[in-house]
């Protein structure tokens, strides 16, 4: 994510981190929001009291970024891409990125009203597991090969879990958004 996008997110009403913003849009998509990009922009783009030029720039840049995320879901093998920092980043930084992504994802599910009752038994269990992951003690995380492996497994679990929720919510979706040109 470019530094400009971070500036635009900071000017928004939620002030999400880049990973929270990404997770938020993925949560809207996976949860079946009928207009996920519009809802997402309302949550992350600069507020109405921001300077007009900043709002216009931000809307354009965030729309383009959001559209790139949407494109991952508009294929036959839709896939949640988690752009976690690469392995050269500190383990704590990558874990924080996943933690923030999960917070954004879960916030989105709550925002659009996805409830346990709408999920299968497996979906409810996965939702509970995702919530439990937000209770990670990141301060106690030590750099070790064991923790590296655990983080890799958690990342894969989160990707698969998000896709399970996505496949359970198609009835909520009106139709996929067509990105504006």
């Amino acid at each position: 994510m470019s530094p400009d996008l971070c500036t635009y997110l900071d000017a928004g009403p939620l002030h999400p981190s880049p990973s929270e913003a990404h997770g938020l849009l993925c949560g809207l998509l996976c949860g079946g929001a009928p207009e996920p990009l519009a809802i997402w922009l309302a949550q992350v783009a600069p507020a109405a009291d921001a300077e007009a030029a900043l709002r216009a720039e931000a809307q354009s840049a965030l729309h383009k970024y959001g559209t790139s995320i949407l494109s991952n879901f508009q294929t036959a093998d839709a896939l949640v891409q988690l752009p976690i920092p690469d392995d050269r980043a500190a383990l704590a930084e990558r874990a924080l990125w996943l933690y923030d992504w999960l917070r954004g994802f879960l916030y989105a599910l709550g925002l659009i009203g996805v409830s346990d009752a709408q999920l299968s038994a497996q979906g409810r269990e996965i939702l509970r597991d995702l919530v439990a992951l937000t209770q990670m003690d990141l301060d106690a995380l030590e750099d070790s090969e064991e923790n590296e492996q655990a983080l890799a497994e958690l990342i894969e679990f989160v990707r698969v879990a998000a896709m399970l929720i996505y496949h359970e919510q198609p009835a909520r979706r009106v139709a996929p958004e067509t990105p504006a040109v």
Side-chain angles (χ1 to χ4, degrees), residues 67-144:
T67 299
S68 72
I69 296 169
L70 283 172
S71 69
N72 291 326
F73 289 85
Q74 295 176 334
T75 63
D77 8 317
L79 187 62
V80 172
Q81 299 288 338
L82 298 178
I84 301 250
D86 68 27
D87 291 342
R88 292 178 298 213
L91 179 69
E93 180 184 342
R94 289 178 282 134
L96 178 61
W97 200 102
L98 180 63
Y99 171 83
D100 282 350
W101 189 94
L102 283 165
R103 287 176 21 143
F105 185 83
L106 293 168
Y107 172 80
L109 295 181
L111 183 67
I112 59 174
V114 173
S115 69
D116 281 356
Q118 297 165 319
L119 298 171
S120 67
Q122 183 182 22
R124 288 189 297 275
E125 182 179 341
I126 283 176
L127 189 58
R128 283 190 299 273
D129 289 345
L130 293 177
V131 169
L133 287 174
T134 65
Q135 298 167 12
M136 289 186 284
D137 183 4
L138 297 176
D139 293 330
L141 189 62
E142 296 177 12
D143 283 323
S144 70

Side-chain angles (χ1 to χ4, degrees), residues 1 21 25 33 39 45 47 54 57 63 69 75 85 89 98-99 105 107 110 122 129 132 147 149 153 155 158 177:
M1 178 174 278
L25 182 51
I39 296 169
L54 174 69
E57 271 179 40
H63 187 275
I69 296 169
T75 63
L98 180 63
Y99 171 83
F105 185 83
Y107 172 80
Q122 183 182 22
D129 289 345
N147 284 341
Q149 182 64 34
E153 289 172 11
I155 290 167
V158 168
E177 283 186 52

